[in-house]
Structure formats: C-alpha cells, structure tokens
Amino acid sequence: MKQDLIVILDLGSTQNTVIAREIRELGVYSEIHPHDITANELKSFDNLKGIILNGGENRVVNGQEVEICPDLYDLGCPMISIDYPQSKCESKFSTLPTQEELKNFILKECNAEANWNMKNFIEDQVERIRQQVGDKKVLLALSGGVDSSVVAAMLIKAIGQQLVCVHVNHGLMRKNESESVVKVFRDELHANLIYVDASERFLGKLEGVSDPEQKRKIIGSEFIRVFEEEARKLEGIDFLGQGTIYPDIIESGTKTAKMVKSHHNVGGLPEDLKFELVEPLKQLFKDEVRACGVELGLPHDMVYRQPFPGPGLGVRCLGAITRDRLEAVRESDAILREEFAKTGLDKKVWQYFTVVPDFKSVGMKNHARVFEYMVIIRAINTVDAMTASIEKVDWDVLERITERILTEVSNVNRVCYDMSPKPPATIEFE
C-alpha cells in the first residue's frame, strides 16, 4: 500500500526531527528534505499530500538566507511555513504549531490518510528495493548490530539469495563479537555469509592516528576497500546495502546544520565508490528501526541488542589506538556487560559501554607507584538517539564493576562514571 507523504523542507530549523516524529505519531509518513529540492523532484514522490517549510536559527548559510525554489508554490499542494519570513504561504507560524494545529493541517487540509505503520513501510521498501536492484546482487556489511541485522532481514525479504552478507572483523569488535555473528547468521539464520579477518590490516592503517574524524574515515574507507575486494571475487555485485538511519544523516551534517560527527556510512564513503547504495532505513529513527525488526520477525534479543558504532572500539579507545588500551576497552566492556546482565540493567538501559582515554594517572599497586590508564563507564537512556539521559546506577553495582575492572583488566588503576547527558555531550566520546 502506497503511504501518503508529508515533506518537511529544512530551511535551518533544529526541530525537523521533532515535527517528523509528531507527524508519524499521527499515522502519516513524513520525510525531511533539503530546502533547494526542485518542484520536479517533489512531483516524482508518490502520494505527496503536503509540504512544511521549516525555518529556524540556521537559515543563514554563507551569509545568505536560504530560500525554496519559487515554483514550489505552484505545485497546488497544501503548504504551511514555520519561522520562515520569506514564505508566501497563507498559513504561517512563528513558533512550532500545536499538536492540534499540526493534526488539522495533516489530516484535514492535506487530507492525508493515517496509514503509516511498519507493515506498510516494509511493503513499500521491499517494492522499492526490488525496483532498484532488479536481478543484480547486493553486498551488505553485516556487523550483527541492530541496523545491519534489520537491513539484512529487509533485503532477504525483498531479494532473497541476491544478498551477499560480509562480516569484517576489523580488530575493533567487542569480546567474542565476531564469533557470535558467525554463529547467529551463518549457523542459525542460514545467511549467505562471508567472514573476513582484516584486523591486522585495520590496526596498521590506524597506527598513530589520533584525530577522531580521521579514524572514522579511515575505518569507513577501508571497509569499502574490503568490500570491493570481496565483490571482485563474485559476479553481478552492483549494490552496497547500508544500515544508515536518520540520526546518522543529521549528525553528519546537512546544508543548514553543522556536523556533530561523521558516521562511517555517511561521511566515510570514498569519492570513487563503485557501488550504488541501497539504504532502506535511512528515514527511520532508532526506535522505529527496532519496530521494523520485530515486524520482520527477527529475534527479540537481536533487535534490542546493544547499539555498537560502525568504527567499533576504535572510537572508544580514545586518541591514537594502542593494543594495550584496545584490550583494556574490550575486557572492561565485557565485565560491564556481564554485570549489567546479572542485575537486569541490560534490559533497562539503552546503551552502556566503557572507554579508555590516551593518558595515564598515578596510582598504587603492590605498594608501588604506577602510571596506568583509567576506564570510563557510560550508561544512557534514549528513544531516538538525538537526546539522552544518564542511568542512575546503584552504587553497589558500580562498586562491584569497579572492583572487577581494577582486578581483572591489565594496565588500569582508575574507574570513572560519566554523568553527561546528550546534549551537550554526544553518546560516544569520539
């Protein structure tokens, strides 16, 4: 079933995602697009019912205020504007419209049908994938995380054996992560899975690199190179499947929003990419991705597993990666996950992990002065990964985790707990 669509044009607002989510909660599908989209591009959208011109504090780019193409007003489509002084719309708002005002515009003025749900979304994406891919093959990076798992399930539903999954062990995985991915996908789900151990290759490329953005882009680019090498061994690979979701795109920067950080599947792609991208989840928020996975029939534990960044522990071993600190991150993270599972916090807390900074502090071990690393614990809760609050972990639990880390993890003499919400902090440290 084709779903009715409301388009939000980004004219510098910081509230695009808020409005998009409110519209989806009304049961109507919404997408966010750049301000300079053309009338012809909008005409090509199926079931376009209305347009929201969403201005805001970032409307000035390179000294000029952004504007829409004038011919958009001639589309004959219901249109309202928010905080956009140049607007020619009859309905203008200087602040966000109320929920009732938004509902009236969407359901009455636009006459949009409240038919957006995960079942219909999946049917729509499956048809789009089939039209895009045809009889060709798709290569998918299967990390085993939520996003890549849901994309894999979506692609299997759409094109079956035309999907080739590749799991790359880049040496930056969590403890026993690669073994688990192979077991679940190859042995239990019978996916067409290729396993590549490229850990030494990645660590060599990252040696001495301390800038977080450079690390992310090296990891992203190297991922593509590995896929290209695997693709050359196969026939008919023209597409690259990606688990890009909407927060990835927002945080990697838009025409009117500054970059928070690049994501390996957005900012790290090389300019000479030889594949066409297939990104069926790129308009979904994290909670919607999970709902999509449940609708696709994926196991609950897989859909609700811990989020894990594409660059893996590479952005949790802060600064230039060293093998001793990388191992400290891996082992301390395993301890944290074990202890959270024992207390049920693994089912309550959205994301939790450890990081190890690239500096040492003084301490005492065996009656001697030592300089060793610290481990920082982070545990946060969120709905859409755009904002996050801190989990108030019981002191007894923290003390037990601290004791284990100080006893079992080499080269560590200090454990800290991160109390910073998002914003101003981001979920990850790099």
Side-chain angles (χ1 to χ4, degrees):
M1 177 186 292
K2 294 294 184 184
Q3 300 162 88
D4 288 346
L5 169 66
I6 302 296
V7 166
I8 301 167
L9 296 187
D10 178 13
L11 287 141
S13 176
T14 59
Q15 301 294 315
N16 291 314
T17 56
V18 173
I19 297 175
R21 292 184 68 85
E22 287 188 2
I23 295 172
R24 293 183 189 188
E25 287 172 5
L26 292 172
V28 179
Y29 184 56
S30 62
E31 291 183 353
I32 303 167
H33 289 274
H35 67 277
D36 55 0
I37 193 170
T38 66
N40 285 335
E41 287 174 318
L42 284 173
K43 286 178 183 177
S44 69
F45 292 174
D46 292 329
N47 291 16
L48 176 62
K49 292 293 186 177
I51 299 172
I52 298 176
L53 309 180
N54 198 25
E57 60 191 61
N58 295 321
R59 72 168 68 94
V60 178
V61 177
N62 297 327
Q64 293 186 331
E65 288 201 9
V66 297
E67 296 185 31
I68 65 168
C69 300
D71 53 358
L72 263 60
Y73 293 110
D74 300 326
L75 286 172
C77 194
M79 187 181 297
I80 62 172
S81 69
I82 302 170
D83 195 12
Y84 178 46
Q86 301 97 317
S87 171
K88 297 178 183 179
C89 297
E90 292 184 7
S91 299
K92 300 180 181 180
F93 297 90
S94 59
T95 60
L96 288 176
T98 66
Q99 190 173 31
E100 190 60 33
E101 289 171 331
L102 188 62
K103 182 178 180 180
N104 181 70
F105 172 70
I106 301 300
L107 301 182
K108 293 183 180 179
E109 292 186 41
C110 297
N111 197 29
E113 183 179 350
N115 62 358
W116 188 76
N117 54 53
M118 274 305 150
K119 181 179 179 181
N120 289 342
F121 175 80
I122 290 169
E123 290 178 359
D124 182 47
Q125 291 301 319
V126 164
E127 180 60 28
R128 290 188 184 186
I129 292 167
R130 288 172 178 168
Q131 290 179 0
Q132 180 184 8
V133 174
D135 61 355
K136 303 296 184 180
K137 292 182 180 179
V138 179
L139 191 63
L140 174 68
L142 182 56
S143 67
V146 177
D147 302 339
S148 69
S149 298
V150 174
V151 167
M154 179 88 77
L155 288 170
I156 289 170
K157 183 178 179 66
I159 59 173
Q161 291 302 303
Q162 291 169 243
L163 174 66
V164 179
C165 298
V166 177
H167 175 67
V168 178
N169 180 358
H170 49 27
L172 305 169
M173 304 294 287
R174 289 174 289 200
K175 190 173 184 178
N176 299 324
E177 190 96 43
S178 286
E179 295 84 350
S180 174
V181 169
V182 172
K183 179 178 182 296
V184 170
F185 286 94
R186 178 184 287 169
D187 302 342
E188 298 177 11
L189 299 182
H190 309 293
N192 183 6
L193 176 65
I194 297 172
Y195 172 77
V196 181
D197 185 352
S199 54
E200 290 301 319
R201 173 174 173 172
F202 275 82
L203 292 177
K205 291 278 186 179
L206 291 164
E207 186 173 356
V209 178
S210 60
D211 180 74
E213 283 303 302
Q214 191 178 357
K215 286 200 295 186
R216 286 178 175 272
K217 290 182 178 179
I218 287 173
I219 294 168
S221 296
E222 203 62 26
F223 254 108
I224 300 300
R225 301 306 177 204
V226 173
F227 292 147
E228 286 180 334
E229 291 170 12
E230 293 304 318
R232 284 195 289 268
K233 303 174 187 176
L234 305 166
E235 294 183 359
I237 299 289
D238 291 319
F239 296 89
L240 178 67
Q242 291 253 82
T244 309
I245 66 175
Y246 197 69
D248 295 344
I249 296 172
I250 290 294
E251 291 191 337
S252 294
T254 66
K255 294 178 181 179
T256 59
K258 295 180 180 179
M259 181 183 70
V260 177
K261 60 185 177 184
S262 69
H263 288 258
H264 74 288
N265 50 4
V266 179
L269 297 177
E271 293 181 0
D272 60 345
L273 180 67
K274 297 179 181 179
F275 302 114
E276 183 179 333
L277 296 181
V278 181
E279 301 174 294
L281 307 181
K282 67 180 180 181
Q283 291 290 347
L284 294 187
F285 298 96
K286 195 72 177 190
D287 56 317
E288 294 171 336
V289 173
R290 296 185 193 280
C292 184
V294 171
E295 182 67 31
L296 285 165
L298 287 175
H300 184 275
D301 289 348
M302 182 181 295
V303 172
Y304 286 92
R305 72 179 302 176
Q306 272 283 292
F308 193 53
L313 300 182
V315 292
R316 295 177 181 173
C317 183
L318 307 185
I321 297 170
T322 59
R323 293 175 187 264
D324 58 345
R325 285 193 300 112
L326 182 60
E327 190 62 18
V329 176
R330 200 184 328 266
E331 291 299 324
S332 60
D333 176 80
I335 291 171
L336 179 66
R337 287 188 287 128
E338 286 175 13
E339 293 299 329
F340 267 38
K342 288 178 184 177
T343 59
L345 285 170
D346 61 324
K347 296 180 176 63
K348 178 185 177 186
V349 183
W350 190 82
Q351 189 169 14
Y352 45 94
F353 56 89
T354 63
V355 301
V356 176
D358 57 347
F359 59 84
K360 296 181 178 181
S361 66
V362 67
M364 291 287 294
K365 284 188 176 180
N366 299 321
H367 307 291
R369 180 185 176 95
V370 294
F371 280 94
E372 295 181 322
Y373 299 112
M374 71 171 64
V375 168
I376 302 173
I377 297 171
R378 185 150 175 76
I380 57 96
N381 289 308
T382 183
V383 172
D384 57 14
M386 300 303 293
T387 62
S389 60
I390 302 304
E391 174 65 24
K392 297 177 181 178
V393 180
D394 184 83
W395 279 112
D396 290 340
V397 176
L398 284 177
E399 285 178 351
R400 184 164 61 250
I401 293 169
T402 298
E403 182 181 1
R404 284 196 61 189
I405 289 175
L406 294 177
T407 302
E408 301 174 28
V409 181
S410 300
N411 302 311
V412 170
N413 66 357
R414 197 178 296 268
V415 177
C416 301
Y417 191 72
D418 182 3
M419 294 292 293
S420 313
K422 176 183 180 177
T426 54
I427 292 175
E428 298 287 343
F429 276 60
E430 291 189 340

